Amino acid sequence: MSRGVIGNNGMRVKDVLQNYVFLLPALILFATFYIYPVYKVFELSLFEYDGISPHKYFVGMGNFADVMCNKIWWTSMWNAAYITILALVFQNALALVLALIVDKDLKGGKFYRVVFYLPPVLSGIVIGLIWNWIYDGNYGLLNHWLSTLGLGNLARSWLADPKTAITCVAIIHMWRGFGWGFIILLAGLQNIPRELYEAARMDGASGLDIFRRVTVPLMIPVFILVAVLTVLGTMQIYDLIVSTTGGGPGYHTEVPITRILAAMIGSSRFGYACALGLVFGVVLLVASMSQLRLSRHLKQT
Amino acid sequence: MIKFKMNRYVTHKRLKGFLMHLVLVSVAVTCIFPLVWMFSSSLKTQDTVFSDMSIFVNNPKWGNYCEAWTKGRFGTYFFNSILYTTSVVAGVVFFASLAAFAFARLNFPGKNLLFYMFLITMMIPIPGSFIALYVLLSKLNLINTRLGYILPQINAGLALAIYLLKTFFEEIPKDLEDSAKIDGCGKFGVYWHIAMPLAKPAIAVIVVFNAMAVWNEYLLAMLILSSKSLMPLQRGLMVFQGAHITRYPLLMAGITITVIPIVIVYLLMQRHIITGITAGAVKG
Amino acid sequence: MRVSLIIFVTFSFLTLGLLGCGGDIERNADVLVWHWMTDREDAFQELADRYNKETGIKVSFELYAPSDAYTQKVRASAQTTTLPDIYGLLAEKRDFAAFVKAGHIADLTGYMKDKNGRWESVFFKKALEVNLFLPDNQWGVEPGIYGVPIDVTNIQMLYNKTLFKKAGLDPEDPPDNWEEFLEAIRALNEAGIPGLVSGWGEIWMIDCFASNYAMNIMGKDKVIATIRGEVPYTDPDWIRLFGLFKEMADEEVLAPGVVTMVNKTAEQTFANGRAAFAFNGSWCVNVYKGMNPNLDYAAILPPRASAKNPMIIWGGAGGSFLVNENSKKKEMAVNFLKWLTAKPQQVFLAEETSNLPSNKHSLVNIPPILRQFADDMDKTTHPDVLPVNEYSQVIEFFNKGIQSIIIGEETPEDIAKKVQEIKERRLAWTKRREKMRREAR
């Protein structure tokens, strides 16, 4: 860890102060725009408050107790976790495969580099319209294709069927999101010195060996970064839900953010919504911290 | 015999190449199709946009673009969005790289604690903090100002950028830094002349991500800004999506117009993601 | 070198941009209005210009959308008392009451009743009712009129005449009761035509449909008694209501996928002749005109499921404007609203936006189907007109439960039981909190 640290021994005061100057702008912004709102959210989570009236009532941990025994909330959490698991596996696998292919000097590599980043650029409105058309129960493309293939009995209203709704939403989400992982992974792959590959090839290593022994160890920090971003991005899925299922049918595609907004705006339980937000934040924090831990562990071995 | 083997090797390689391209092409098609659909919809009329699903439009209504531009007041909003995007991106890159450099290459008390604090901001996004943010900005007299819209967004982009840049800065070999110091570079010199150029791919990624986030942002804009004259581009698109009536062709024309600049930013940046670090530079 | 240049340029850009900051429009305006009604923006802009020409007073309309963002903005501004002179509110009556009690909304009763109630008399009675607080209301708000409706709406059943003919039905004799409705559906399904389409992925649309039939099956008083907690949701009448949805699912009344469909998709489906019936609001006339000008359709009241009580449909004010109690220009704001709801302006608004005007004397030049919606304004009710409000958690579970019934996951009896459980839990919760509040004082 101490590799490349300036002035490890005998730090002078002036030196240290200089070092803090590097941090100063970021620190000021952080202190103003993060600490205060979070403190406010924490404070309000202890009150019963409608977000409008000048009065609020202290309820202590009451809101948190309500959160803990709210089954719908934990269902929404599980729904988001389900999409996250799918995304961690399939979305990132796709991103990695594509990044590995494009990383080689391939004909048309530049073209693919550009094209794969298009889905994240697209507006959510367009994505909603197109996928609603694909999944539609009556005139949908998917049902049309299935019946041409002679699988007409599988046809259904994909987004209205509780068995398929959430997976269908997850597929849209993964399709939309793989471009992010793709460019981060590609940047990481490009960072690996080509000589290392050549040296390994000289030693007679096969493609798979090179991948295992050269690429993977060097890419671990990047993998973890992509994994953390996938978890954070997917757990907070929101606009896609609104434009496809609205959380239905029933509660089958409800996710944490839709629940928090329902509490805050729908039923005007502001303090309760703050409590939900905090619980959600802590879950995300634990999830990402354990991933970072894992990365440190992997780096050492 | 050898020739045969060579042939098999070649066919094998060709087959592999073919399969690879098949995967790439099929993924590429799914990525391009929505764009093509959006573009062709933007040339239709309200009554043909969903009844006529063809991609090639018979009687293209190029006038939709003109109408979208004027109705959506894109002139003003475009200027605002470019201003916000460049300011936020410049702010994020500059502030985050300074902090990341300190975390990666400098020593000071409380380093780990501070670093984790930044990371946590990335991990606990609190939807409920919107109103608290509003109250804070109004205390600072920043409601309905450009600065009030820019600063929170810089803050939002910092954590990821710091983390990404820190991993890049840590990989810089010590000898490179030492030789720069012998040439008379101070800390800032090392940061500016050695670290920043080597972190180009990461910076390119940060630019792409933040530019897109800011370009597509509108919830914060609606909250903080009140005057039309300060609103970003996404405000223009709202005009076409009524509570009940959505004017799809105009909306699609508007979205097409707004997507172009962000694609251009990506086109410019993706070169740096690729050619950023050559092997020689790292070896030093 | 190039990099420093880029950075230099961006930073000078930044400083330049920041120097030229500030919302100039707002400072020059005499009266500032905030609203979320995207499709009315152009018309409002035009009216503001006309008002300026007539009186020299500058009114500035600022639009914020989508509605969730608007709601957050209004609430945040209420916190810092920076609301504009006039604004719209998207909220249930309970939140409306909280705004009044927090001193953000002016009581307009005086202005309305002035000169023998000249202003009050121009409105549809139903349109004013949503803005009215009755004596002894459950929220403890001073009775009075607190808002000015600018247009009205209601939700009815629409049917496609062309598809009726195709299925061998008489397009001039639409179904009047539930049995006839199911018969028509059977004939349509036989001809391969899907029945009813509506945006039931948005739970408020389900709520409207269910509320219509609740009023029809058990009458208004029993609905109110249920909300008060005096009648349980497990009452046979409520189970009968839930049963209607099961029947609709069993008889394949509903087009595939309605339980997650947004209303805009439902509108496309009906406009393109892919469903015979639609359950939709008066705004649809404009929507269908845009999507398919040749659509041959008509509006009817939803077919009655019971002969006992009349069909009372969901409807009332579409959008209302409120005056900020803290505004320094209250008089000016009220005068503008009086002008805005006068006949010439209302006729203009109705023509431009194809919404029904709130001024009942302004029904000129409106399309025949919209006329039908206007004629039925007297048969409407709205949750905000009732003296009591159901808990939003109960409403949500009620409607999501109906989605589950339609997809066959739950039975009407189960949902009735679960809704009642939630209701009881909310009642107990409220009691607990009230006790806590009393102790806190």
Side-chain angles (χ1 to χ4, degrees), chain A residues 1 3-6 8 11 15-16 18-20 22-23 25-27 29-30 32-34 36-38 40-41 98 101 106-107 110-123 125-126 129-130 133 175 178 180 183-184 186-187 190-191 193-195 221 225 228-229 232 236 257 260 264 270 278 281 284-285 288-289 292 296, chain B residues 20-21 24-25 27-28 30-35 37-38 50 53 95 98-99 101-103 105-109 114 116-129 131-133 136-137 139 151-152 154-155 158 160 163-164 168 170 174 177 181 187 205 208-209 212 241 248 251-252 255 259 262 266-267 270 273-274 277 279:
Chain A
M1 267 309 273
R3 184 171 65 125
V5 166
I6 297 175
N8 217 348
M11 285 190 286
D15 215 35
V16 170
Q18 257 180 10
N19 294 351
Y20 276 124
F22 278 83
L23 274 183
L27 215 54
L29 278 175
F30 169 76
T32 347
F33 292 108
Y34 199 78
Y36 175 80
V38 168
K40 265 286 168 211
V41 167
L98 295 177
I101 297 177
L106 189 80
K107 225 200 250 167
K110 196 174 168 188
F111 168 75
Y112 292 123
R113 234 147 57 208
V114 175
V115 164
F116 291 155
Y117 193 64
L118 289 177
V121 172
L122 270 178
S123 139
I125 304 159
V126 178
L129 283 171
I130 289 196
W133 172 36
W175 169 78
F178 80 88
W180 299 94
I183 63 167
I184 299 180
L186 190 60
Q190 292 281 321
N191 206 14
R194 301 284 128 158
E195 285 89 337
L225 175 68
V228 169
L229 288 179
L232 293 177
Q236 292 178 68
I257 303 281
I260 293 173
M264 193 157 68
F270 206 85
L278 281 178
L284 288 184
L285 184 70
S288 356
M289 278 304 174
L292 289 178
R296 210 174 303 152
Chain B
M20 247 159 54
H21 274 283
L24 290 173
V25 167
V27 177
T30 68
C31 296
I32 296 175
F33 173 74
L35 236 70
W37 181 83
M38 175 176 88
F50 289 108
M53 278 303 186
F95 297 157
L98 278 174
F101 183 74
F103 284 129
R105 316 293 296 191
L106 305 175
N107 236 346
F108 47 87
L114 283 171
Y116 278 107
M117 258 169 49
F118 276 109
L119 270 194
I120 288 172
T121 66
M122 179 165 88
M123 289 161 195
I124 311 191
I126 293 178
S129 64
I131 289 183
L133 181 65
L136 171 74
L137 285 170
K139 274 184 190 156
L151 290 180
I154 295 181
N155 179 52
L158 279 181
L160 171 63
Y163 183 78
L164 197 62
F168 268 78
E170 273 172 354
K174 182 89 170 91
E177 191 178 304
K181 275 208 211 135
K187 279 175 214 169
V205 169
V208 168
F209 280 15
M212 216 187 94
Q241 315 165 55
Y248 288 103
L251 178 63
M252 291 304 148
I255 295 177
V259 159
I262 206 72
Y266 181 63
L267 282 178
Q270 52 90 23
I273 297 176
I274 299 309
I277 292 186

Side-chain angles (χ1 to χ4, degrees), chain C residues 164-175:
Chain C
F164 257 52
K165 273 179 227 156
K166 221 186 244 174
L169 295 165
D170 180 5
E172 301 314 320
D173 181 27

